[in-house]
Amino acid sequence: MATETADDVLSVHDLKSYFFSREGTLRAIDGLSFNLKAGKVLGIAGESGCGKSVTAQSILRILPRHGKTVSGQVLLTRDGKVTDLLALGEESSEIRRIRGKEIAMIFQEPMTSFSPVHTIGDQIIETIRLHRGLSKAQARASAIEILESVGMPHPSRTIDEYPFNLSGGMRQRAMIAMALSCNPRVLIADEPTTAVDVTIQAQVLELIRQMQAQLGMAVIMITHDLGVIAELADHVLIMYLGRGVEFGSVEQIFHNPKHPYTRGLLASIPKLQKGHTLVEPIKGAVPNPYDAPAGCPFHPRCPQFMQGTCEVTMPQVVEVEPGHWVACHLYGGEDQR
Amino acid sequence: MSDIDNSSRPLVEVRDLRKYFEATHGLLRKVVGTVKAVDGVSFSIQQGETLALVGESGCGKTTTGRCLIRAVDPSAGSIRYSFDNADPIDIATVDKHQLRELRRSIRLMFQDPYSSLNPRMTVFQIISEPLLINKLVQNQSEARDRVQSLLQMVHLNPNKMDRYPHAFSGGQRQRIAIARALAPKPRFLIADEPVSALDVSVQAQVLNLLKDLQHELRGLTYLFVAHNLSVVKYQSDRVAIMYVGKIVELTVTEELFLTPKHPYTEALISAAPDPEPRAVRRKKRIVLAGEVANPADPPSGCYFHPRCRYAKDVCRTTEPPLRDIGTAQQPHQVACHFAEELTLRGIE
């Protein structure tokens, strides 16, 4: 989805990542394409099992052992030089230089992504020394500076705390500090606020927004919460069962949604505006991904299901207006606008 | 909205409810402090009404709900419950025998339908268990008839009653949990975050079902414990906002969202991410500094003062009581020294 332009920092082409187990093959991502523009925020939204986290893992080559990226390209552009991350070995020194340095990631639950037996300072310093080659003292000074910039209270003291001594919000700040410590080009945030309370969520989102503006990095914000997307994203990719079903600017997606799934999602969430009193659920539930429906994966739940088409063929991706792409048979014919 | 009966006395009347937990330390479990999880909470719920208890984690909303069914024993206070229009009983002091009867009339439903349903029981066993325990059915065939009609009521196929929970999706499981909760024909349902574990596209299925059931079973009353303000606005008649064990604001839903009177409510409304790109970018978000106070060591004065942008000296020293600043028709309770003077921002 989306046309390639010169300012793409990351572009994903026809990515397929499968999981192999005794129950069969799970096509977690099945032909996904999108572009991330330098300095912009791309929101990836979808329900459980849509493959949004696997997308992040595939980009960084950190899929669990029974998962494998079987085809596609993930092109990272650095100063005019293009590298296909999928051509690098999972353990190669080149991908290690990219992880954390060029593409950093923050996770949903910082408690499980920090090592519990090292102080947060040690973990941030390790990252800085690995990628920036500073001395221990310089790295420590730099870590304190970063902790301060993410709003950590008393950074020269908290740097020596263990993760379990920090509250959820503070751990998330430490996680962000670690991710930003090497000034990455791309930050991938996988449900960064799902485990924290709403007032802390506001703090974390504000922080990501500030840091993004300040450092000019591109962000991939993965979340199930369309409110978070509306707030932060410039562009939005809606995923369903391993595929991108719609891509567009945040205004296009929220004010002129085309795919019946996107429309259904937007209609199914209660809103805070005055006078909003009706929500309309999508019928059924997300199917078992081991047993994905034939044709368009959304067809069993779709209110605009067309017999003889939707359950037979996979819809093509169509550009319905400039920069707005949809994979749906409703827009598939030649005489579409 | 639901059929609220305002004429008679409330179905539930909670007065000065407290639940203190002792914090212990070491092998000998020496008591080192008291966590005031619920600290003097009062509210009432009319028959047929939905009252939402809202707040961040650790504010005491779940503990309050659990006290109401005596899943935990309150430390102090009274919970007067009107059983079938008879004289109210005090749930806080009832004996074991009455408690069993009470739990037929008050039911609890949980957040996560993946862990609240026993995976080794069939749907029929899960739903019929409260019927059999309370001897509300005479035999198996009567039980099957009841389960069949309960499943129809929650829009599930009754032919699937001999299947196990794993065969159902999250939304369907939550409907099974509702059917079980409603099996003994309760009058009062405590729903603790009933949709937060569900995918967004199916949350609305459960919310709408709960609303429809309230309409169908006239007089069914809900205590809706939740943190998501959009869901609360959609679902409830009145809202109580809790902060560190206390209610800080309580009024009818629309009034609360349009004209909040407590700075914490204003901040919560402002912090809620709304799926509306233009609206959210227009408004300047209030980002509260710091974190929720520790209930084992709360601040002096108003518990909210360290995070409050309107705090003055009196807030640091004197705790504001919960008082009514509304009208006779529309009470509006708030615990803030400056509730009348502040002009706070609600939804637009």
Side-chain angles (χ1 to χ4, degrees):
Chain A
M1 290 189 175
T3 27
E4 258 175 83
T5 49
D7 56 354
D8 290 339
V9 56
L10 195 71
S11 76
V12 171
H13 293 283
D14 198 30
L15 181 71
K16 293 184 180 175
S17 292
Y18 296 171
F19 287 82
F20 302 94
S21 70
R22 266 186 307 192
E23 288 110 289
T25 303
L26 192 159
R27 297 167 176 234
I29 302 181
D30 205 14
L32 180 70
S33 304
F34 65 85
N35 298 305
L36 174 67
K37 297 199 185 313
K40 297 281 181 193
V41 180
L42 170 69
I44 301 185
E47 298 176 275
S48 52
C50 75
K52 51 194 193 299
S53 293
V54 179
T55 304
Q57 294 169 346
S58 303
I59 292 170
L60 282 171
R61 313 293 310 278
I62 51 170
L63 283 173
R65 204 166 301 148
H66 57 291
K68 196 171 178 333
T69 297
V70 294
S71 77
Q73 282 183 312
V74 175
L75 304 176
L76 172 72
T77 308
R78 304 175 269 180
D79 310 320
K81 192 176 138 229
V82 180
T83 317
D84 183 1
L85 303 187
L86 298 186
L88 307 175
E90 273 181 26
E91 304 281 327
S92 66
S93 58
E94 175 133 31
I95 190 83
R96 280 166 184 264
R97 273 199 297 276
I98 289 170
R99 287 180 198 140
K101 172 83 184 80
E102 304 287 343
I103 307 177
M105 184 155 174
I106 51 180
F107 299 87
Q108 175 173 347
E109 206 349 294
M111 194 62 206
T112 52
S113 30
F114 271 119
S115 157
V117 297
H118 298 96
T119 64
I120 57 158
D122 284 347
Q123 298 180 59
I124 297 173
I125 291 166
E126 185 194 7
T127 315
I128 294 175
R129 296 195 66 195
L130 189 69
H131 291 302
R132 286 167 51 190
L134 299 181
S135 75
K136 213 166 180 177
Q138 286 170 319
R140 186 178 166 89
S142 170
I144 291 175
E145 207 173 287
I146 296 156
L147 284 172
E148 186 160 22
S149 71
V150 299
M152 184 72 91
H154 320 294
S156 49
R157 214 164 58 222
T158 16
I159 190 168
D160 296 318
E161 296 281 6
Y162 288 90
F164 61 84
N165 279 331
L166 302 176
S167 67
M170 286 303 131
R171 276 200 293 266
Q172 202 54 281
R173 277 175 199 272
M175 180 99 234
I176 292 171
M178 183 155 90
L180 300 182
S181 61
C182 296
N183 205 351
R185 258 167 239 279
V186 178
L187 175 71
I188 302 178
D190 188 1
E191 302 270 9
T193 58
T194 306
V196 297
D197 275 318
V198 56
T199 60
I200 305 300
Q201 166 167 286
Q203 293 173 0
V204 172
L205 294 181
E206 187 62 36
L207 177 64
I208 292 176
R209 195 194 341 247
Q210 270 173 19
M211 298 315 263
Q212 191 260 340
Q214 202 176 316
L215 304 174
M217 62 193 172
V219 176
I220 297 180
M221 172 65 74
I222 296 173
T223 175
H224 68 282
D225 188 336
L226 290 172
V228 170
I229 299 260
E231 172 129 335
L232 274 188
D234 299 300
H235 299 96
V236 184
L237 172 68
I238 305 282
M239 289 185 71
Y240 189 74
L241 279 185
R243 291 170 181 275
V245 297
E246 186 160 2
F247 178 93
S249 72
V250 69
E251 283 80 15
Q252 286 168 339
I253 295 293
F254 284 89
H255 293 300
N256 189 20
K258 292 293 183 192
H259 198 285
Y261 177 62
T262 313
R263 290 180 177 170
L265 269 186
L266 287 168
S268 70
I269 25 181
K271 297 181 182 63
L272 266 186
Q273 283 108 37
K274 193 173 164 180
H276 184 264
T277 52
L278 189 74
V279 300
E280 208 48 67
I282 301 178
K283 68 175 178 185
V286 180
N288 180 352
Y290 280 105
D291 193 17
C296 170
F298 188 58
H299 84 257
R301 305 178 72 191
C302 185
Q304 284 160 286
F305 170 64
M306 295 179 288
Q307 183 88 39
T309 308
C310 298
E311 82 281 26
V312 184
T313 49
M314 183 69 78
Q316 294 299 307
V317 177
V318 187
E319 189 171 18
V320 287
E321 59 181 315
H324 189 173
W325 302 75
V326 186
C328 175
H329 287 302
L330 287 174
Y331 311 97
E334 293 85 350
D335 54 350
Q336 295 297 323
R337 55 199 184 108
Chain B
M1 284 283 144
S2 40
D3 317 292
I4 304 166
D5 178 8
N6 278 317
S7 53
S8 57
R9 65 172 167 249
L11 179 72
V12 193
E13 198 168 4
V14 176
R15 284 286 158 264
D16 203 28
L17 183 71
R18 285 162 204 273
K19 177 62 193 176
Y20 295 174
F21 293 100
E22 283 174 345
T24 55
H25 184 76
L27 196 61
L28 298 173
R29 306 187 63 76
K30 202 177 110 193
V31 176
V32 292
T34 314
V35 177
K36 299 179 174 179
V38 180
D39 196 15
V41 160
S42 302
F43 58 84
S44 57
I45 312 177
Q46 298 295 326
Q47 176 146 348
E49 184 186 35
T50 301
L51 174 73
L53 273 187
V54 185
E56 297 178 273
S57 49
C59 74
K61 56 190 193 295
T62 293
T63 308
T64 304
R66 295 194 169 192
C67 285
L68 261 54
I69 196 171
R70 281 280 294 280
V72 294
D73 290 333
S75 311
S78 69
I79 305 158
R80 295 169 72 76
Y81 181 72
S82 300
F83 235 135
D84 304 320
N85 299 322
D87 278 339
I89 54 163
D90 184 1
I91 296 176
T93 56
V94 293
D95 60 31
K96 246 187 173 165
H97 174 74
Q98 285 176 299
L99 205 54
R100 172 168 268 206
E101 216 148 276
L102 193 74
R103 285 181 180 156
R104 227 163 60 199
S105 182
I106 305 180
R107 307 283 295 168
L108 188 56
M109 107 177 237
F110 301 93
Q111 172 172 359
D112 182 5
Y114 291 85
S115 51
S116 69
L117 303 179
N118 186 336
R120 310 178 89 172
M121 286 167 77
T122 64
V123 169
F124 167 72
Q125 288 168 327
I126 287 168
I127 299 177
S128 64
E129 192 179 43
L131 295 169
L132 296 167
I133 286 176
N134 290 300
K135 302 196 177 58
L136 297 174
V137 287
Q138 305 307 317
N139 51 45
Q140 284 281 314
S141 84
E142 200 183 325
R144 289 191 78 85
D145 288 347
R146 277 285 290 147
V147 171
Q148 176 157 3
S149 62
L150 283 161
L151 283 173
Q152 278 164 347
M153 196 168 77
V154 298
H155 312 305
L156 285 174
N157 184 351
N159 296 333
K160 294 185 177 167
M161 72 166 87
D162 293 314
R163 298 216 188 163
Y164 290 88
H166 70 80
F168 296 87
S169 70
Q172 290 173 324
R173 285 184 217 207
Q174 205 57 308
R175 283 187 265 160
I176 294 168
I178 293 173
R180 177 183 159 106
L182 296 183
K185 300 191 174 159
R187 299 176 68 200
F188 184 32
L189 180 66
I190 300 170
D192 192 349
E193 300 274 10
V195 298
S196 25
L198 303 179
D199 270 326
V200 280
S201 74
V202 296
Q203 286 187 2
Q205 293 174 1
V206 171
L207 294 176
N208 287 347
L209 175 65
L210 286 170
K211 276 193 164 186
D212 293 347
L213 288 171
Q214 193 167 43
H215 219 76
E216 273 166 45
L217 314 170
R218 292 177 78 88
L220 184 61
T221 306
Y222 294 131
L223 180 68
F224 192 80
V225 178
H227 72 280
N228 183 328
L229 284 183
S230 322
V231 168
V232 164
K233 172 173 166 283
Y234 181 64
Q235 203 72 10
S236 46
D237 301 310
R238 284 189 306 142
V239 182
I241 306 278
M242 289 187 73
Y243 190 74
V244 199
K246 295 177 191 288
I247 290 178
V248 296
E249 186 161 7
L250 197 172
T251 187
V252 291
T253 306
E254 187 165 271
E255 162 116 355
L256 183 110
F257 282 98
L258 290 177
T259 53
K261 294 291 179 196
H262 196 286
Y264 180 60
T265 312
E266 181 192 39
L268 274 185
I269 292 173
S270 163
D274 205 26
E276 195 33 70
R278 278 171 208 159
V280 292
R281 282 171 188 198
R282 205 170 49 224
K283 73 180 176 188
K284 187 82 187 86
R285 177 176 303 285
I286 301 167
V287 179
L288 286 182
E291 306 196 3
V292 176
N294 178 358
D297 183 22
S300 61
C302 171
Y303 287 179
F304 186 60
H305 88 255
R307 306 177 79 192
C308 182
R309 50 202 210 132
Y310 311 104
K312 298 205 171 70
D313 284 341
V314 60
C315 306
R316 288 173 198 105
T317 53
T318 317
E319 189 188 323
L322 187 68
R323 61 207 168 90
D324 192 349
I325 59 164
T327 57
Q329 295 81 34
Q330 187 142 300
H332 192 147
Q333 290 177 285
V334 59
C336 175
H337 292 300
F338 301 103
E340 288 91 344
E341 291 145 55
L342 294 173
T343 313
L344 304 180
R345 212 167 55 199
I347 59 170
E348 280 145 24

